Amino acid sequence: MIMLLGETAAAREISKCLDIRGLEFMRLQTWTEKTCLKTPSLILDASPPSSIVKFAPLRQWCEQRCIPYLRLERPETVIPDSLLIYPVGTWEEALLQLGQRVGAMHQAKRRVITIFVTTGSHQMESIVQAAFARYARLVVRVLPEGRLVQKCQDMGISPRDIVAMQGQFSKEINNALFKFYGVDILLTRDSGSAGGTDTKISAALELGIETVLVKKAKTNAGLTVNNVKELLDWVDDNIPDKR
């Protein structure tokens, strides 16, 4: 039994390929030890960068049992040299930077500052509860899943400020959305070109929008690959095809 983690486009592609290969697998969004009633033979982690901390206990659990844990780790994005981009290393630093930028903009423009959030709903509550949120309009882009939309609404985000869309998004789509919502600040995470980081930043720069970018965390994720092909090649070499 293979466990596949994540609801990303890559995870969906991997799921189809495992099906074609006739391999038994289970897709998970969260994990506890009770999940593993049957010990998996392999963990394939195609979850977004924001889930690294969430699945850290699972990596440790696998290490203790010598179960292979293969992480799809997207390469870092080459970031343009611009005064409009504020790279940070942690989520805490991102909130601090957001607070500083919102405060400065609010004082200069004397209006509510619009933040376009593309880091998902997982850590959204910390933004909603931050002191700077009183001066900000939060527009969040999440996957078009009812539970995620409801989660955002439960946190007080207006339905008109919830963009439920599935990427990847071109520069043109990002550009149109940023213009439509009158975005002042983009909050995003470096999820590589596969996650559309380059097109988001490119669109923001073209429109003169500031970007707070959460850089990739330096973690020991065990076995890693940089794209879906490498991951599937590893599976083909190590897991018997049951077709």
Side-chain angles (χ1 to χ4, degrees):
M1 164 72 77
I2 296 172
M3 278 191 182
L4 174 59
L5 311 177
E7 291 298 321
T8 59
R12 292 187 289 273
E13 181 181 350
I14 293 166
S15 177
K16 291 179 182 177
C17 292
L18 295 178
D19 254 338
I20 291 171
R21 286 161 170 77
L23 296 172
E24 184 183 6
F25 69 97
M26 175 191 304
R27 289 182 67 177
L28 298 178
Q29 296 175 16
T30 58
W31 176 86
T32 65
E33 284 200 38
K34 292 181 180 178
T35 307
C36 296
L37 297 176
K38 180 179 178 182
T39 302
S41 57
L42 169 66
I43 305 291
L44 298 178
D45 185 354
S47 63
S50 58
S51 297
I52 285 179
V53 174
K54 180 172 70 172
F55 287 123
L58 175 56
R59 290 198 301 273
Q60 295 170 359
W61 186 87
C62 289
E63 287 174 7
Q64 293 167 0
R65 290 159 179 79
C66 297
I67 298 170
Y69 186 104
L70 185 59
R71 166 79 182 161
L72 177 60
E73 192 69 42
R74 296 162 176 166
E76 286 191 59
T77 306
V78 177
I79 305 301
D81 185 15
S82 172
L83 294 176
L84 291 174
I85 301 174
Y86 297 84
V88 296
T90 67
W91 186 254
E92 290 71 26
E93 290 175 11
L95 293 177
L96 181 62
Q97 189 65 256
L98 274 177
Q100 293 173 352
R101 299 315 307 148
V102 169
M105 280 191 183
H106 177 68
Q107 188 172 18
K109 300 185 177 185
R110 300 293 179 183
R111 61 168 174 79
V112 169
I113 302 304
T114 299
I115 305 173
F116 195 92
V117 182
T118 68
T119 53
S121 66
H122 180 53
Q123 294 168 304
M124 193 67 199
E125 193 169 1
S126 60
I127 303 177
V128 173
Q129 295 177 349
F132 64 78
R134 73 185 73 175
Y135 308 115
R137 174 192 181 190
L138 302 176
V139 179
V140 58
R141 187 163 70 191
V142 295
L143 288 171
E145 296 181 13
R147 62 182 181 84
L148 298 180
V149 172
Q150 187 61 55
K151 182 179 178 181
C152 291
Q153 288 186 261
D154 291 344
M155 286 187 281
I157 298 173
S158 168
R160 70 188 178 94
D161 292 334
I162 301 172
V163 183
M165 297 174 67
Q166 184 173 310
Q168 285 181 323
F169 302 101
S170 66
K171 176 183 173 182
E172 291 72 25
I173 291 177
N174 283 314
N175 194 301
L177 285 170
F178 296 164
K179 283 182 179 177
F180 179 80
Y181 284 100
V183 176
D184 297 295
I185 301 174
L186 168 66
L187 172 63
T188 192
R189 195 183 296 274
D190 186 358
S191 53
S193 58
T197 302
D198 53 346
T199 58
K200 282 180 280 190
I201 290 178
S202 180
L205 288 176
E206 187 173 283
L207 296 173
I209 295 168
E210 294 189 358
T211 298
V212 175
L213 173 68
V214 185
K215 298 286 287 178
K216 294 175 70 65
K218 304 296 183 182
T219 60
N220 178 18
L223 294 168
T224 60
V225 291
N226 293 131
N227 55 60
V228 172
K229 182 181 183 304
E230 287 182 10
L231 182 144
L232 293 171
D233 286 346
W234 192 96
V235 170
D236 289 341
D237 290 341
N238 292 273
I239 306 295
D241 190 327
K242 293 187 177 181
R243 286 175 295 181

